Amino acid sequence: LHRVDRRQRQMCIRDSFKTMFLRHFIVFSFIALLAGCAGFGARESVQGQGNPAQWRLHKDQLTGLDGWQINGKIGIRAPKDSGSGTLFWLQRQDYYDIRLSGPLGRGAARLTGRPGQVSLEVANQGRYESASPETLLEEQLGWKLPVSHLAWWVRGLPAPDSKSRLTLDGDSHLASLEQDGWQVEYSSYSQQNGYWLPERIKLHGSDLDVTLVIKEWLPRKLGQ
């Protein structure tokens, strides 16, 4: 009898441990799930008419797009410079070559580089180098423009490294974007080589407005 009682007590203790472990596992799993959802929501807030699931598919497709050539027009409105001109943008993974020409206040400019090594050439002024494209544009042209975000914004995507508020249109593409003190508006898209890409973009900053009208998109997926 004593052996039976002891065996029953051992079984009860094991069952209690199993029950406690299962309860704790469920609780911790639920907390982890909530934390993950909270982190995603804090990074990217989505609203509007579009379908969030379709937006995620669209976003995943465009995130893999790492090469393109753009031809179009650009308009700049700043405290010291205002004007319009042409835009040429060549992107090859992390290398970019952006050329602006026309009556842009200070003449033609060419920005080339990759992370940590950037060069700016300004007509009749010279060539300047820095580790940051934002620093170069602000020092030489007086423009406070988040160049590092533009490679995302021009594709109709939020930059991944900071919080953003997105509004989707009826096709589950970006209608507008708020990020790092900037408002970005998308008024039209076109399909190019299977990608839906922006044709007209307006950027509003604290002291700078930029309008991009893209006449030609040549998208390419270069790497994996």
Side-chain angles (χ1 to χ4, degrees):
L1 291 176
H2 289 297
R3 292 181 179 178
V4 173
D5 292 341
R6 185 168 58 187
R7 187 177 302 169
Q8 288 179 342
R9 286 197 299 269
Q10 291 174 346
M11 292 177 63
C12 289
I13 292 173
R14 285 198 298 268
D15 290 342
S16 297
F17 275 118
K18 289 181 179 179
T19 303
M20 290 175 61
F21 175 80
L22 182 60
R23 288 177 179 174
H24 282 82
F25 177 79
I26 293 174
V27 169
F28 285 128
S29 298
F30 184 67
I31 291 173
L33 177 62
L34 290 179
C37 293
F40 178 81
R43 180 67 62 180
E44 182 178 296
S45 172
V46 181
Q47 60 186 10
Q49 307 175 33
N51 184 307
Q54 292 181 6
W55 157 248
R56 285 193 291 270
L57 292 175
H58 173 70
K59 178 182 175 183
D60 289 343
Q61 183 195 33
L62 290 184
T63 298
L65 180 63
D66 58 356
W68 60 81
Q69 180 176 313
I70 289 175
N71 290 285
K73 295 183 178 181
I74 183 171
I76 299 286
R77 188 173 65 184
K80 296 182 180 180
D81 295 313
S82 293
S84 60
T86 60
L87 166 70
F88 170 84
W89 183 342
L90 178 69
Q91 187 81 25
R92 292 293 180 263
Q93 295 185 321
D94 63 354
Y95 171 80
Y96 53 86
D97 181 347
I98 302 174
R99 307 179 194 184
L100 310 176
S101 60
L104 284 167
R106 299 198 181 189
R110 181 183 182 186
L111 185 69
T112 59
R114 50 178 40 92
Q117 184 179 3
V118 188
S119 173
L120 175 66
E121 297 178 62
V122 182
N124 302 320
Q125 292 188 30
R127 179 187 178 97
Y128 310 91
E129 295 184 352
S130 175
S132 165
E134 288 83 3
T135 299
L136 271 181
L137 286 187
E138 185 173 0
E139 289 179 349
Q140 304 303 326
L141 300 180
W143 301 347
K144 294 182 179 180
L145 186 64
V147 180
S148 301
H149 285 2
L150 291 183
W152 298 90
W153 293 352
V154 77
R155 286 176 283 172
L157 298 173
D161 297 330
S162 60
K163 295 180 181 180
S164 58
R165 175 179 293 182
L166 317 180
T167 301
L168 304 182
D169 62 19
D171 295 319
S172 301
H173 305 150
L174 275 190
S176 64
L177 160 69
E178 295 180 23
Q179 189 169 29
D180 292 341
W182 282 79
Q183 294 183 340
V184 186
E185 299 176 2
Y186 300 87
S187 56
S188 64
Y189 286 81
S190 65
Q191 191 174 32
Q192 305 290 339
N193 295 338
Y195 298 95
W196 282 98
L197 295 162
E199 285 186 318
R200 188 177 183 89
I201 310 171
K202 290 186 177 181
L203 299 87
H204 306 279
S206 59
D207 57 359
L208 181 65
D209 289 339
V210 180
T211 300
L212 300 178
V213 179
I214 301 173
K215 299 293 187 179
E216 182 182 32
W217 262 107
L218 296 174
R220 292 180 61 189
K221 187 174 181 179
L222 301 175
Q224 300 296 327

